[in-house]
Amino acid sequence: MPHIFLYGPPGTGKSTVGQTLAYKLKLPFVDLDRLVEKNAGIPISLIIEQQGELMFRNFETSTLKALADESDSVVALGGGALLREENRSFAESHGSVILLIARLETLLERLNQDPTKRPLLSGDLDEKLSSLLAKRLEHYASFTNQVYIDSNTSDQNALQIQISLGRFHLSAMGEYDAIVWDHGMEQIGELLKSRGLRSPIIVTDENVARLYAEKLMMSFRNTGMDPNLFTIPAGESYKTLEMVNQIWHAFLNAGLDRKSTVIALGGGVIGDIAGFAASTYMRGVSWVGIPTTLLAMVDASLGGKTGFDLAEGKNLVGSFYPPKLVLADTQALKSLPETELISGMAEVVKHGIISDPQLFNLCARGLDWVKGNLEEIVKRAMAVKIKVIEEDPYEKGFRAALNLGHTVGHAVELVSAFRLRHGEAVSIGMVAEARLAERLTVAGKGLSRTIAESLSALGLPLHIPKELPREELIRAMRMDKKKSNGVVRFALPVEIGKVDLFDVADLEMALEEQ
Ligand SMILES: NC(=O)c1ccc[n+]([C@@H]2O[C@H](COP(=O)([O-])OP(=O)(O)OC[C@H]3O[C@@H](n4cnc5c(N)ncnc54)[C@H](O)[C@@H]3O)[C@@H](O)[C@H]2O)c1
């Protein structure tokens, strides 16, 4: 992966946010100005005073270019480091440049509190900074990847940068990166190699194999690997122990040993079953998730849950077994049937309701907008799921927030004999549960309507089909694993961006339409 360069006017907190970002991504942090000083053996103020600004800029260029030989890191650049075309093209070809921006008042406030000497701003700070910003206005505006840092904490700023880059690192259960990368599948060979992973076997289903297996095989071959491929039929009905058994035997036949890597290429079914096979083969081999459905990108591939179905119910056997890497190539969503995309959007809206009002508002723009902006949608939705599972990896508390819409949703899915897709049932469930929250007065009036409007703009259903018997729905909700002491624990929306857990005894209330 390339470096991450943080750039922008003095006072945007590039060093502070850079350190937070590096910590979150488990990457080294480099402060270019400090490195220049270390290499020169004197402070920048003295370099400028004794040798002039040109000499300082020359030091800056050589220090920057030396990063070509270093492993990926987060680099905080000086406020004018990319004024030189040579530096800019180096940074853009060796990484991603993120421009931090803030209002003049914020910059002044920060600079006044900052004891660091800034030789180019000595004298009347207000006047010097205003004139420097005016001079560099066009230059800063020419960077496309911009993040506003006004009034946010360093943590929030780092998260915004992660979303904008599509780069996350999970560490609560296992240590792995989750990356959103348009056309990233073409880079999978390099990504594996850089992580010391080898001998890949791709497990996929017949639909996905037709579309993407060759691309992956090519990428592996280009890095000198000799990949294997095992294809299974598509669909939930194949997420069985019998299929796990076939996958284990495919591993044996391909000569997989403990150092090999299973590549789960496909939707949630493939991630679950191939991840489970990897977790048990030779007591566990490495695996990498390459989710190709929206649901798998924003939900199933994150959190390390693997497993398969029994005749008695879905996901009854499984393990917590995190992958070594998750790569979401949003190009794959272009071939996804629209019904699958819409179904996946229910989970995206759910993530918006849980903790990202901005994501919720983007979803409310409707399906056409979403289709044109899938990368942004995936990055934001992934960020929410990662935040939740990092706080509660083994589902002891807050992770239950992800059950929003699922208590009614699972019942509707089950009683409809899976005629409704999972996402469709969750959509119906979210509206019903928002109505329940209003009735319990834990949410303000109108929340269910706001949620329903957003789901409807995406083409998702809102109402429990009339033909589904109420008593069966109630029985199904009681049997759901979320029950405790005879009551059912619901994750209910309190407002857009906040979900809480509530125990509910009167389940009729959850099904009332008015
Ligand atoms: N492990 C978890 O935490 C977790 C969370 C949520 C759901 N799940 C599981 O995920 C499964 C559902 O996942 P899903 O909705 O991705 O279903 P899926 O894996 O069955 O994929 C849906 C369909 O889309 C096809 N497909 C996949 N990618 C495609 C692409 N890019 N282009 C064209 N077609 C493509 C597949 O072949 C399949 O026919 C369920 O089994 C569910 O239990 C797991």
Side-chain angles (χ1 to χ4, degrees), residues 205 207-208 236 239 267-269 272 292-293 295 300 305 315 332 335:
D205 73 29
N207 297 333
V208 181
E236 184 74 31
K239 208 173 98 178
V269 166
D272 279 6
T292 58
T293 63
L295 175 107
K305 281 205 228 169
N315 302 320
S335 59

Side-chain angles (χ1 to χ4, degrees), residues 202-356:
I202 302 166
V203 179
T204 187
D205 73 29
E206 55 204 357
N207 297 333
V208 181
R210 251 193 315 274
L211 294 159
Y212 302 111
E214 194 43 46
K215 189 183 278 191
L216 245 61
M217 302 278 275
M218 186 79 86
S219 174
F220 287 130
R221 287 191 195 113
N222 287 344
T223 42
M225 297 185 202
D226 183 18
N228 281 289
L229 173 67
F230 186 64
T231 305
I232 69 172
E236 184 74 31
S237 58
Y238 294 95
K239 208 173 98 178
T240 60
L241 178 58
E242 170 48 26
M243 197 48 73
V244 174
N245 190 28
Q246 288 191 30
I247 297 173
W248 283 328
H249 280 93
F251 291 173
L252 269 178
N253 294 338
L256 249 68
D257 61 25
R258 301 217 46 210
K259 297 212 171 89
S260 305
T261 311
V262 174
I263 310 291
L265 169 70
V269 166
I270 288 294
D272 279 6
I273 197 168
F276 181 79
S279 79
T280 41
Y281 181 76
M282 294 193 172
R283 297 195 177 81
V285 294
S286 299
W287 74 288
V288 166
I290 306 187
T292 58
T293 63
L294 181 58
L295 175 107
M297 289 184 189
V298 303
D299 189 1
S301 65
L302 303 164
K305 281 205 228 169
T306 75
F308 60 89
D309 303 335
L310 295 181
E312 289 81 355
K314 279 179 67 174
N315 302 320
L316 287 176
V317 184
S319 58
F320 280 111
Y321 191 70
K324 297 288 184 214
L325 169 72
V326 173
L327 170 69
D329 180 344
T330 40
Q331 275 298 314
L333 298 178
K334 298 227 165 101
S335 59
L336 193 65
E338 186 167 285
T339 45
E340 296 292 346
L341 187 79
I342 292 175
S343 183
M345 278 308 294
E347 299 289 350
V348 174
V349 172
K350 183 190 83 176
H351 289 179
I353 300 172
I354 291 175
S355 84
D356 187 350

